[in-house]
Amino acid sequence: MVDGPMHVKKLNLVQLEELAAEIRHELITVLAKNGGHLGPNLGVVELTLALHYVFNTPKDKFIWDVSHQIYVHKLLTGRKERFPSIRSTGGLSGFAVRAESEHDCYGAAHAGTALSAALGMCAARDQRGSDENVVAIIGDAALTNGISFEAMNNVAQTTKKFIAILNDNEWSIAKNVGAISSYLNKLITHPSYNKLARDFERFVRRLPKGELALKLAHKAEEGFKGALAEVGLQPSPSSIEADGRGGYGNSVIFEEMGIRYLGPIDGHNLSLVISTLEFAKTCDHPIVVHVLTKKGKGFDAALKNPEKFHGLGPYDIATGATLPTKAGTPTSWQDVFGQAMVRLCQKDSTLVGITAAMPSGTSLKFLEKAMPNRYYDVGIAEEHAVLFACGMATMGFHPVCAIYSTFLQRAYDCIVHDAALQDLPVIFCMDRAGLSPQDGPTHHGLFDISYVRSVPNCIAMAPKDEDELVDMMFTATHEPHPTFIRYPRGPGEGVPIKDQPRLIEVGKAEVIQNFNNHGGRKVALFPLGSMMKLGRKTAEQLAREGYDVAIINPRFVKPLDAGATQFFGRAAEVVVTFEDHVIMGGYGSAVLELFNEKRVTTPVLMVGWPDQFIEHATNVDDLRNKYGLTVENVVARVKAEMAEITPGAQRSDFAVA
Ligand SMILES: Cc1ncc(C[n+]2csc(CCOP(=O)(O)OP(=O)(O)O)c2C)c(N)n1
């Protein structure tokens, strides 16, 4: 394995191919232990080698869309020693992070950002008159995302030098969907679309064979011929003629937008990809190179099941089987949601499910299978998903948008301007609300309470267990307002689901455990949603230490149960709010706002995440321990707070009926 990109350039073709095999071995071995995005990375081994062969990072810039396919780049840019630590506590991130390496010029993990960011870099380069090459590498599914088109709309008028690589493997996480995906398929399969510009042919012919041979060793000649044969298959004279409107007078969409299109080429043919990138580097007009790759190449199990191997946990190298879930592990929140969607849709013909390219992640796949006509996958297009839902809602439907908390951030304006302002009954099931530990800050869902709570008309809730999740979904279907339900990743609490869901009174909290008035000092715990477990354990420990503890399940962040919150707030000497969310603007803040308004002076300890981006880690516990979301820490804080308060000054003897 090489130490840095400079070494890649010294290799001949045979050595590059050997390196490709070594890289695949490393990916398969390390990810078998750590989990991660195996399929996408196996697919870009040759492409990444070719990029480093032709360009010079960090001076040249590679901007990876999503950047889940950046592992090979990490291995080639001085991080091979640390690679076995990827996605674990203190280890390498699974995505591009500027702070991690000078070779990562742009951080990402949400889709569709690469073209815009790359264009911005081109504009900056042109402004300052420097000569870096800027290369955006995007997947075919990134083209289902609106931002990519916003960027393409802007390329030709902004710069002359812009290189995009369209890494087309026909898959998003699931099979790519929609008209763009069919269009790309046409480009691949229909000979008349193969656009291989004559100047590329000329370029390849002009390359001094000797020099190329030197570079690529004895196979260079074949590679060179391969390039000509493959690329010269269907030369299209029209593709290089400007049409006077900024386009190239061709029905290839990129060319219509003033971006030269080259391809499709075999992304696993190293010499061909190298020649093509060498050409792209010389172009003095924006260019997109369409590269065909196979997700999972080099690992049979991944080739056979691209969806599973897009991103997965540890697996067995021999069979590709993922480790079995431990016996007795409760059904995941996601699966409970997916199964409940089927049951609810069977009873209520106004319900439909909408996903933005995450049928398996959200488990909306259950609905896809059971009732395909009530299921919509709109592609990686969260804004569109929400607006689409709003449109349906105006026609009497109750659309359910199943979107991860972190990805819903992208559709914030649609929530405010469309769903909330028009007060439409769209239901938002915000999956992954809380930590996604191995993915890290790009994927944690820690902001949704604050971004929803401040918007009028919205109802926001968080279930303490999976049965309550179903009750909340059912309740939401009866609401004429936008409703938001947040729940975390992973196994539920193991609570059985009732046969018939129950309506929950909106804005009503649930008293789980009342004070028992045994004379101990009173503490009221308000654990929101899945923090109930931490709340209960904290209560047990406090009780062991002689405190009189009440536990209230808030259920609603908005509208807050003002009565119950005040009542227990006044009765207790100390109130503790728990939330799997940033403290700022979250549930605890809502309680404080209420207390301020109602002049409740009981101190409120807020347990949640601090005002900083929380890094990735091997698991949730590592992060909770580090940031003090633990029983020990909460108990210590309660005791410290109690020590500050004169006993009896608060209404600690308040009798609760
Ligand atoms: C805004 C946003 N929505 C959803 C996702 C989840 N997601 C991660 S990768 C991916 C598919 C990416 O497909 P593509 O760009 O074609 O890359 P490939 O994995 O096929 O190489 C999706 C939907 C995301 N990262 N960002």
Side-chain angles (χ1 to χ4, degrees):
M1 190 84 74
V2 297
D3 284 325
M6 289 320 292
H7 298 132
V8 176
K9 296 176 207 312
K10 295 192 181 127
L11 303 179
N12 62 36
L13 190 63
V14 174
Q15 291 167 323
L16 283 172
E17 276 165 0
E18 282 168 8
L19 180 55
E22 259 181 71
I23 289 172
R24 286 206 164 88
H25 177 76
E26 181 73 1
L27 290 171
I28 293 166
T29 320
V30 170
L31 300 202
K33 193 161 155 274
N34 297 23
H37 290 101
L38 182 65
N41 280 288
L42 288 174
V44 297
V45 174
E46 286 81 11
L47 174 61
T48 312
L49 280 169
L51 280 162
H52 280 291
Y53 189 88
V54 173
F55 296 99
N56 294 309
T57 60
K59 184 187 175 209
D60 290 337
K61 313 290 177 201
F62 296 163
I63 304 98
W64 303 87
D65 200 72
V66 187
S67 88
H68 61 307
Q69 74 294 54
I70 200 180
Y71 300 4
V72 186
H73 169 82
K74 293 199 182 206
L75 283 168
L76 296 176
T77 50
R79 286 171 274 182
K80 67 173 191 212
E81 305 301 342
R82 295 185 63 206
F83 192 67
S85 72
I86 194 160
R87 291 162 57 83
S88 57
T89 305
L92 291 181
S93 161
F95 298 100
V97 178
R98 280 165 58 80
E100 191 179 284
S101 166
E102 59 179 350
H103 297 276
D104 294 4
C105 66
Y106 198 81
H110 288 198
T113 58
L115 292 178
S116 294
L119 188 58
M121 289 182 195
C122 291
R125 172 201 59 203
D126 297 350
Q127 286 279 350
R128 70 185 189 193
S130 51
D131 64 353
E132 301 89 333
N133 292 291
V134 178
V135 186
I137 304 104
I138 65 165
D140 47 300
L143 285 184
T144 61
N145 193 283
I147 315 177
S148 298
F149 283 86
E150 292 168 31
M152 285 199 288
N153 178 51
N154 198 214
V155 168
Q157 76 190 60
T158 303
T159 188
K160 289 198 177 326
K161 242 180 132 34
F162 172 89
I163 303 168
I165 313 289
L166 171 56
N167 170 36
D168 185 354
N169 52 30
E170 296 178 46
W171 287 80
S172 179
I173 291 178
K175 190 81 181 155
N176 203 3
V177 294
I180 287 290
S181 158
S182 321
Y183 172 72
L184 291 179
N185 195 39
K186 255 197 232 165
L187 281 183
I188 297 166
T189 52
H190 206 291
S192 66
Y193 281 100
N194 284 1
K195 291 297 169 255
L196 301 156
R198 269 188 301 188
D199 52 353
F200 175 53
E201 253 190 78
R202 279 200 295 271
F203 169 84
V204 179
R205 283 191 200 290
R206 265 206 320 268
L207 280 179
K209 283 187 202 163
E211 188 184 308
L212 198 68
L214 208 72
K215 278 186 183 166
L216 303 178
H218 69 282
K219 276 202 177 171
E221 191 80 6
E222 285 151 45
F224 171 78
K225 282 191 205 135
L228 273 189
E230 202 159 326
V231 179
L233 211 70
Q234 303 288 336
S236 165
S238 62
S239 72
I240 56 166
E241 305 301 336
D243 69 359
R245 293 178 296 123
Y248 288 93
N250 195 294
S251 65
V252 173
I253 191 167
F254 307 102
E255 303 221 336
E256 291 291 348
M257 298 179 104
I259 306 169
R260 291 282 302 283
Y261 170 83
L262 196 62
I265 63 165
D266 174 1
H268 299 298
N269 180 336
L270 253 171
S271 58
L272 174 59
V273 180
I274 289 173
S275 314
T276 312
L277 293 179
E278 295 277 15
F279 170 73
K281 194 162 79 169
T282 67
C283 285
D284 56 1
H285 37 65
I287 183 166
V288 58
V289 181
H290 189 178
V291 172
L292 305 184
T293 59
K294 281 243 165 298
K295 233 169 164 162
K297 186 171 168 70
F299 191 52
D300 263 359
L303 274 173
K304 283 191 194 123
N305 194 344
E307 183 165 0
K308 172 176 168 191
F309 281 86
H310 172 88
L312 76 175
Y315 52 85
D316 176 17
I317 298 185
T319 61
T322 31
L323 303 181
T325 0
K326 275 195 209 125
T329 306
T331 310
S332 70
W333 291 90
Q334 298 45 62
D335 283 0
V336 169
F337 159 78
Q339 288 157 5
M341 275 301 288
V342 176
R343 283 166 57 207
L344 293 173
C345 282
Q346 281 163 346
K347 296 228 164 100
D348 182 345
S349 61
T350 69
L351 282 183
V352 296
I354 301 169
T355 176
M358 305 297 285
S360 14
T362 60
S363 289
L364 206 61
K365 64 183 177 192
F366 287 103
L367 184 65
E368 177 187 21
K369 187 147 183 272
M371 304 175 80
N373 60 338
R374 305 279 287 283
Y375 161 89
Y376 297 90
D377 179 353
V378 300
I380 311 178
E382 288 77 9
E383 292 154 284
H384 166 61
V386 175
L387 300 177
F388 175 79
C390 288
M392 288 195 82
T394 63
M395 305 278 281
F397 281 78
H398 254 111
V400 178
C401 287
I403 300 181
Y404 290 8
S405 160
T406 186
F407 300 143
L408 191 59
Q409 287 161 196
R410 183 160 285 177
Y412 190 50
D413 183 57
C414 311
I415 290 173
V416 178
H417 167 270
D418 297 85
L421 179 56
Q422 301 180 92
D423 205 4
L424 296 171
V426 177
I427 300 166
F428 295 90
C429 287
M430 300 187 294
D431 194 337
R432 279 17 175 217
L435 297 183
S436 280
Q438 291 170 314
D439 288 327
T442 53
H443 280 61
H444 297 325
L446 296 180
F447 305 110
D448 56 89
I449 295 178
S450 38
Y451 73 64
V452 167
R453 181 169 98 68
S454 51
V455 183
N457 292 337
C458 295
I459 296 172
M461 28 188 161
K464 67 177 181 305
D465 58 44
E466 53 272 55
D467 185 45
E468 199 167 69
L469 167 62
V470 182
D471 287 346
M472 286 183 175
M473 290 168 67
F474 182 60
T475 303
T477 65
H478 289 73
E479 278 307 309
H481 309 289
T483 46
F484 297 77
I485 308 172
R486 75 186 313 261
Y487 50 92
R489 180 178 201 271
E493 304 297 331
V495 172
I497 314 287
K498 297 183 291 292
D499 285 344
Q500 292 300 325
R502 217 175 17 224
L503 277 179
I504 295 177
E505 191 179 336
V506 171
K508 216 59 207 134
E510 177 195 26
V511 179
I512 302 280
Q513 172 182 308
N514 213 329
F515 294 122
N516 66 20
N517 298 312
H518 57 40
R521 299 181 73 180
K522 289 187 165 62
V523 186
L525 307 183
F526 291 80
L528 181 72
S530 60
M531 295 300 263
M532 182 55 74
K533 201 188 281 173
L534 181 61
R536 285 189 204 270
K537 284 190 180 155
T538 306
E540 283 163 19
Q541 184 56 34
L542 286 169
R544 274 195 287 273
E545 302 202 20
Y547 291 95
D548 187 1
V549 187
I551 308 174
I552 301 94
N553 169 21
R555 281 186 171 155
F556 293 85
V557 167
K558 186 180 186 172
L560 208 58
D561 186 335
T565 314
Q566 268 192 85
F567 179 81
F568 283 94
R570 289 188 199 282
E573 283 188 74
V574 171
V575 162
V576 187
T577 59
F578 299 73
E579 58 198 305
D580 203 3
H581 186 273
V582 289
I583 287 173
M584 196 176 275
Y587 167 64
S589 301
V591 170
L592 273 181
E593 286 165 22
L594 176 82
F595 282 9
N596 181 54
E597 189 190 324
K598 304 290 182 193
R599 308 238 187 286
V600 179
T601 54
T602 312
V604 179
L605 301 180
M606 293 188 282
V607 177
W609 298 98
D611 181 23
Q612 70 187 77
F613 286 105
I614 307 300
E615 68 271 30
H616 72 278
T618 310
N619 52 47
V620 168
D621 285 346
D622 282 2
L623 292 169
R624 285 199 178 180
N625 287 335
K626 176 171 175 186
Y627 289 94
L629 282 77
T630 59
V631 172
E632 300 69 43
N633 188 45
V634 181
V635 169
R637 285 176 65 188
V638 170
K639 283 157 76 176
E641 194 62 40
M642 286 289 189
E644 293 280 309
I645 308 166
T646 319
Q650 300 282 315
R651 300 175 66 187
S652 59
D653 58 345
F654 194 94
V656 176

